[in-house]
Amino acid sequence: MNKVPTIYEVAQVSKVSITTVSRFMNNPDKVAPKTRLKIEQAMKELDFTPKADAVARARQGSRRIGILIPFLTAQSFVERLEGVHTTLRSEGYEIVTYLVDTQRQLQGYLSMLPVSGRIDGLIIMALPFGDEDVENFKRHNIPIVGIEVEHRDVSSITIDDVFGGELAASYLIGKGYRQCAFIGEGGEPPYSLHATGLRLKGFQKKLEVLGYPMDEDHICFHPYGMEASISCTKALISRKYRPDAIFCGSDFQAIGVIKAARALHIRIPEDIGLLGFDDTMIAGYMDISTIRQSLVRSGEMAAGMVIDHLKDSGNPVIHTQLELNVVERLTT
Amino acid sequence: MNKVPTIYEVAQVSKVSITTVSRFMNNPDKVAPKTRLKIEQAMKELDFTPKADAVARARQGSRRIGILIPFLTAQSFVERLEGVHTTLRSEGYEIVTYLVDTQRQLQGYLSMLPVSGRIDGLIIMALPFGDEDVENFKRHNIPIVGIEVEHRDVSSITIDDVFGGELAASYLIGKGYRQCAFIGEGGEPPYSLHATGLRLKGFQKKLEVLGYPMDEDHICFHPYGMEASISCTKALISRKYRPDAIFCGSDFQAIGVIKAARALHIRIPEDIGLLGFDDTMIAGYMDISTIRQSLVRSGEMAAGMVIDHLKDSGNPVIHTQLELNVVERLTT
DNA sequence: TACACTTATGAAAGTGCTTTCATAAGTGCT
DNA sequence: AGCACTTATGAAAGCACTTTCATAAGTGTA
C-alpha cells in the first residue's frame, strides 16, 4: 500500500526541511517550540520511525558501546559497571552488556562483535583476550579498553595487585599483627582471577621482607561461594598455629570470615584481625577494614578512554593504574 | 590511519567499479569468473566486511531489547537483571541497559525510545510510566514488560507486596513476637518504592487482625543510605516501648538494624527479632531471616514475556504475581 | 561480414539519515 | 536607527551501499 514514512515525508507534512526534522530528533532544544510541535504532530500522523541502519550509516557509528563482563554476582563488577554507565550516558552513548559465562561465549563475542557493526567501542572487564582479538577489533576501528585486565596494545585501567598485597602486609604488621593468613577464591577460566594470586604474592613477599613470613598452612584458596569461604576459614582458624590476622582476596571472603568467626566464638578484631580488598559497598556496611580501589572511578575512566579513542583514533594507548589505600574500619 | 575498508577500496584494488563489487556480493553468478577472482582476492587482501550486509544479518540474527532500571546499587535489581540477561542471551537477544536517575531522564527515554527504532522490546523495572507512554510504544509495536511495576495494558511480573507484609506479620506473631516495628526507605520519584508502603500496609493490617496492633511510634521511614538506616534503627530501639521484632522493607535495612543493634549491645534474635524482605544474596550471607521473592526468576520471566510478545504481537497481556515465602535463618 | 542477442560492466541516481556551513530572522544595546 | 550578536532554519555534501540504465564486448547465425 503506502510505504513506510521517511523524514522527507515528515518534513513535507510539517512544512520544514529534513534538516530541521533531523535536528528535532537529535537536538530537540535547538528547534523552536512552535516548529517542534508541528514536527511532532506530523510524526504522529505518519507514524514515523527512523530507520536504525540509515542512522548508523550517516553517523558512521551506532553510538553504542559494548561491555563484556563475567557476571553481575560480584559487587565489584557492578560498581564498576555503574561508573561506566554514568559516564557513557552523559556522552550520549548506549551500553550493550554482554554477560560472559564460558570461554566459548567469550570467543563467540570476541569474533562476532567487531564484524557485526553493532558497537563503536568495547570495554572488557576482567576477561582475557589475545593478540588476534585485538587485531580484529583494530582492523574494524573499534577501540577496546580493558578494566582489570591488561594487553600491550589496548588502553586499560587496572590496579597494582602486587602492591595491594604489599600494602596489606605493611598495614597489618604496622598494626601489630604477626601471624598473617590469606584467603582467596580459586577462579576458573575465563575469569582472570589472576588478581587474587598477585595480591597474595605481594602480601607474602612483603611479609617476608618485614620479617614475619607466612606459614604455608596459612594460605587458603577455595572455590566460589559463601559456603566454601566459611568452611575454608573455619579450617584456617582451627589450625594449631592460629593466625592473628587474615587478609582476604576480596571483601566477599571477609564476610565468610566474619561468619566463621562468629560460629567459632572468635572475636574480631580482638582475637583475629581481618582485612578485605576492594572496598565494595558491603565492606562499608559491615565495617570491614579493607584495601580500597575506586571501583566506580575505574568504570568512569574506562568509559572516558573509549570515548577518547573514538574521538581521535590516533590517541595513544594508556595504561592507568588506580591508587590503592587502606581503609581502616572495625575489623583491624 | 587505516580505516575499515569499503567497497570503494575493494573496487580500486581489484580495478573494477563499485557496481561490480556490489553485484559480486549480491549476484555472484552475474559476474565473470575472472572478475570474481580479482574481487575475491582484493577483499581478502583488505579484509573487507560489507557493513550494510553485516548490519542486516545482525538485525535478523540478534535483536535488541532495552531495559530501564533505576540504579545498580540495589542488590535486588541486579539479581533481577541477571535473570533477564541469561534468558535473553540464550534467545540471541542483545540487552541495552538504560540507567535512570531522574524523573526527567525517565521521561526522556520513554519518549525517545519508541521513536528511535533502536530497540525491539522494553523491560521496565520499578519505574512508573503512564498511559501515554504505553500508547507510544504500542504504536511502534514495541512490547513492554514491567517488573515490580504494573500497568493495565502491559504484561508484568510483580509480587503481592501487601500479602508480603501479612506474611511477615503472621510469621513474627507465630514466632511469639508481640511488639512489631517497621523500618522502610522513603523513596523519591521516579522510584516507585511504593512497594515499601504496601508491605507496611499489609503488615500493619494483619497485626491488627491478629490482635497485636503496631504502635504508631514503631513505624519508621528514613531516606536512602546506610547511615540513615542505622540512626533510624537506633532511635527506634531506644523508644520507651521497645519493639521486640523489626520487619524491614528490604534486606538492606536489616543490615542497618544489625549494626545499630550491635552498637547498642542488643542481641539478635534474643532481644529483638529481625525480618528482612527480598532474600537478596546478602541476606543469605548474613543469615538474615527474610521474605523471599525469586528475584532471578522474575527477570527470567519478564524476559520470556517480551520474547513471547515479539514472536506473536497478539499475545495477551499477562500479569503474573510471584510467590512469596518466609525464609527462616538466624535473626528470628 | 553484417545483424541480432547475450553477457559483462560502469556511471549515475537513489536510499534515509546526519552534519557542516551559510543565511535569514530576532534581540538587545547604544 | 544602527550595530553586533544570538537563535532558527535550510541547502547541500557526505555515508556505504544498491539499483537502474546505458554501453561495450562477445557470440551465434544467416
Side-chain angles (χ1 to χ4, degrees):
Chain A
M1 219 164 97
N2 56 344
K3 45 178 233 156
V4 32
T6 72
I7 44 169
Y8 289 90
E9 274 91 83
V10 176
Q12 202 172 336
V13 170
S14 50
K15 292 173 208 276
V16 297
S17 74
I18 58 161
T19 308
T20 305
V21 177
S22 171
R23 193 174 1 241
F24 167 80
M25 300 190 293
N26 301 295
N27 303 61
D29 43 310
K30 297 224 174 247
V31 172
K34 214 179 74 180
T35 319
R36 215 144 47 185
L37 232 73
K38 286 197 297 183
I39 299 178
E40 241 160 10
Q41 195 165 324
M43 281 186 169
K44 201 150 281 183
E45 189 178 316
L46 293 170
D47 194 16
F48 166 82
T49 310
K51 277 94 207 128
D53 55 325
V55 175
R57 172 159 35 86
R59 280 212 188 114
Q60 309 190 76
S62 52
R63 284 195 91 55
R64 214 174 272 139
I65 100 107
I67 176 160
L68 250 28
I69 191 172
F71 40 65
L72 266 23
T73 319
Q75 178 68 21
S76 59
F77 290 157
V78 174
E79 292 186 22
R80 285 191 265 241
L81 187 56
E82 194 143 18
V84 170
H85 265 94
T86 52
T87 299
L88 249 28
R89 177 180 54 191
S90 73
E91 293 277 342
Y93 281 86
E94 275 186 354
I95 298 172
V96 187
T97 316
Y98 303 93
L99 238 60
V100 176
D101 262 3
T102 64
Q103 184 68 41
R104 260 196 68 224
Q105 259 176 34
L106 176 60
Q107 264 318 313
Y109 284 132
L110 247 23
S111 57
M112 111 133 310
L113 248 27
V115 175
S116 71
R118 325 198 86 205
I119 56 171
D120 299 338
L122 181 67
I123 293 177
I124 302 184
M125 195 182 293
L127 290 165
F129 52 92
D131 292 354
E132 200 183 323
D133 302 316
V134 173
E135 263 311 307
N136 229 326
F137 279 88
K138 184 161 285 171
R139 197 162 22 231
H140 291 268
N141 253 354
I142 299 176
I144 301 181
V145 170
I147 302 184
E148 190 80 35
V149 56
E150 257 183 305
H151 186 287
R152 188 183 62 257
D153 304 328
V154 153
S155 283
S156 62
I157 125 108
T158 52
I159 56 169
D160 185 340
D161 287 295
V162 173
F163 175 73
E166 292 174 8
L167 200 59
S170 308
Y171 170 72
L172 286 175
I173 296 302
K175 285 290 276 187
Y177 296 103
R178 291 297 175 259
Q179 303 276 348
C180 297
F182 179 87
I183 295 184
E185 203 165 276
E188 309 264 326
Y191 316 122
S192 75
L193 293 182
H194 189 46
T196 306
L198 296 178
R199 289 168 197 176
L200 168 59
K201 197 173 134 196
F203 189 58
Q204 207 165 9
K205 207 175 60 186
K206 190 68 170 190
L207 283 176
E208 229 159 272
V209 170
L210 293 173
Y212 304 97
M214 276 176 91
D215 189 316
E216 275 296 325
D217 279 354
H218 286 168
I219 297 174
C220 165
F221 274 86
H222 65 83
Y224 180 81
M226 183 49 62
E227 297 309 319
S229 175
I230 294 174
S231 62
C232 172
T233 307
K234 284 188 179 167
L236 188 63
I237 298 182
S238 315
R239 289 225 191 298
K240 199 171 157 197
Y241 301 111
R242 199 223 274 167
D244 62 357
I246 300 181
F247 172 44
C248 295
S250 83
D251 292 338
F252 180 81
Q253 272 92 38
I255 300 176
V257 172
I258 291 179
K259 288 183 69 168
R262 193 179 308 146
L264 265 42
H265 299 291
I266 287 177
R267 292 164 308 162
I268 294 177
E270 293 84 355
D271 302 330
I272 201 164
L274 175 61
L275 186 63
F277 202 109
D278 283 343
D279 193 28
T280 47
M281 219 178 295
I282 195 68
Y285 295 169
M286 303 200 54
D287 293 317
I288 297 171
S289 296
T290 193
I291 306 284
R292 164 181 300 159
Q293 60 165 315
S294 321
L295 294 166
V296 175
R297 188 93 214 299
S298 76
E300 292 170 352
M301 291 189 63
M305 283 172 157
V306 221
I307 291 175
D308 288 349
H309 277 105
L310 244 27
K311 282 187 177 144
D312 176 5
S313 60
N315 238 320
V317 166
I318 298 176
H319 299 277
T320 303
Q321 285 212 333
L322 248 34
E323 203 186 334
L324 292 176
N325 37 59
V326 178
V327 182
E328 179 164 328
R329 285 200 266 251
L330 306 184
T331 61
T332 49
Chain B
M1 212 163 101
N2 60 336
K3 337 184 328 173
V4 34
T6 70
I7 46 169
Y8 289 89
E9 274 89 86
V10 176
Q12 203 172 333
V13 170
S14 50
K15 293 175 209 271
V16 297
S17 74
I18 57 161
T19 310
T20 306
V21 177
S22 171
R23 192 168 9 235
F24 166 81
M25 299 189 298
N26 302 297
N27 302 60
D29 44 310
K30 297 230 175 240
V31 173
K34 213 178 72 179
T35 318
R36 216 145 45 185
L37 230 73
K38 286 197 298 182
I39 298 178
E40 246 158 9
Q41 195 167 321
M43 281 186 169
K44 196 149 285 176
E45 189 178 317
L46 294 169
D47 189 23
F48 165 84
T49 319
K51 221 162 198 173
D53 186 61
V55 169
R57 202 188 31 222
R59 183 102 195 123
Q60 73 155 245
S62 83
R63 318 206 86 200
R64 232 174 251 129
I65 101 108
I67 176 159
L68 247 31
I69 189 170
F71 41 65
L72 265 25
T73 319
Q75 178 67 22
S76 59
F77 291 155
V78 174
E79 293 186 23
R80 285 191 267 241
L81 187 56
E82 192 142 21
V84 170
H85 264 95
T86 52
T87 298
L88 248 28
R89 177 181 55 191
S90 72
E91 294 275 342
Y93 283 85
E94 271 186 356
I95 298 173
V96 187
T97 315
Y98 304 93
L99 238 60
V100 176
D101 264 2
T102 63
Q103 183 68 40
R104 260 197 69 224
Q105 258 177 35
L106 176 60
Q107 263 317 312
Y109 283 132
L110 247 22
S111 56
M112 110 133 316
L113 247 28
V115 157
S116 68
R118 318 200 87 204
I119 56 170
D120 305 314
L122 181 67
I123 292 176
I124 302 183
M125 196 182 293
L127 290 164
F129 52 91
D131 291 355
E132 200 185 322
D133 302 316
V134 174
E135 265 311 307
N136 244 319
F137 280 89
K138 186 160 284 173
R139 192 173 22 243
H140 291 272
N141 258 325
I142 299 176
I144 301 181
V145 170
I147 302 184
E148 191 79 36
V149 54
E150 257 183 305
H151 186 288
R152 188 182 63 258
D153 303 328
V154 152
S155 284
S156 63
I157 125 110
T158 53
I159 56 169
D160 184 341
D161 287 295
V162 173
F163 175 71
E166 292 174 7
L167 200 59
S170 308
Y171 171 73
L172 287 175
I173 296 303
K175 285 289 278 187
Y177 295 103
R178 292 295 175 259
Q179 303 275 350
C180 296
F182 179 86
I183 294 185
E185 202 165 276
E188 308 266 327
Y191 316 122
S192 76
L193 291 182
H194 188 46
T196 306
L198 296 178
R199 289 169 197 175
L200 168 59
K201 194 172 137 196
F203 189 58
Q204 206 166 8
K205 206 175 63 187
K206 189 68 168 194
L207 284 176
E208 228 158 273
V209 170
L210 294 173
Y212 304 98
M214 277 177 91
D215 188 314
E216 274 297 324
D217 278 354
H218 286 168
I219 297 175
C220 165
F221 273 85
H222 66 82
Y224 181 81
M226 182 51 61
E227 296 310 318
S229 175
I230 293 174
S231 62
C232 171
T233 308
K234 283 188 179 167
L236 189 63
I237 297 182
S238 315
R239 290 224 190 299
K240 196 171 159 195
Y241 301 110
R242 198 222 275 167
D244 62 355
I246 300 181
F247 171 44
C248 295
S250 83
D251 292 338
F252 180 82
Q253 272 91 39
I255 300 177
V257 172
I258 290 178
K259 289 184 69 168
R262 194 179 307 149
L264 266 41
H265 299 291
I266 287 176
R267 291 165 306 163
I268 295 176
E270 293 83 355
D271 302 331
I272 202 165
L274 174 61
L275 186 64
F277 203 108
D278 281 345
D279 193 28
T280 47
M281 221 179 295
I282 195 66
Y285 295 169
M286 305 201 52
D287 293 319
I288 297 171
S289 296
T290 192
I291 306 284
R292 163 181 300 159
Q293 60 164 317
S294 321
L295 294 166
V296 175
R297 190 91 214 299
S298 76
E300 293 169 352
M301 289 188 65
M305 282 172 158
V306 220
I307 293 176
D308 288 348
H309 278 104
L310 244 26
K311 282 187 177 143
D312 176 6
S313 60
N315 238 322
V317 166
I318 298 175
H319 299 277
T320 304
Q321 285 212 334
L322 246 35
E323 204 184 334
L324 293 176
N325 37 61
V326 178
V327 182
E328 180 164 327
R329 284 198 266 252
L330 306 184
T331 61
T332 49

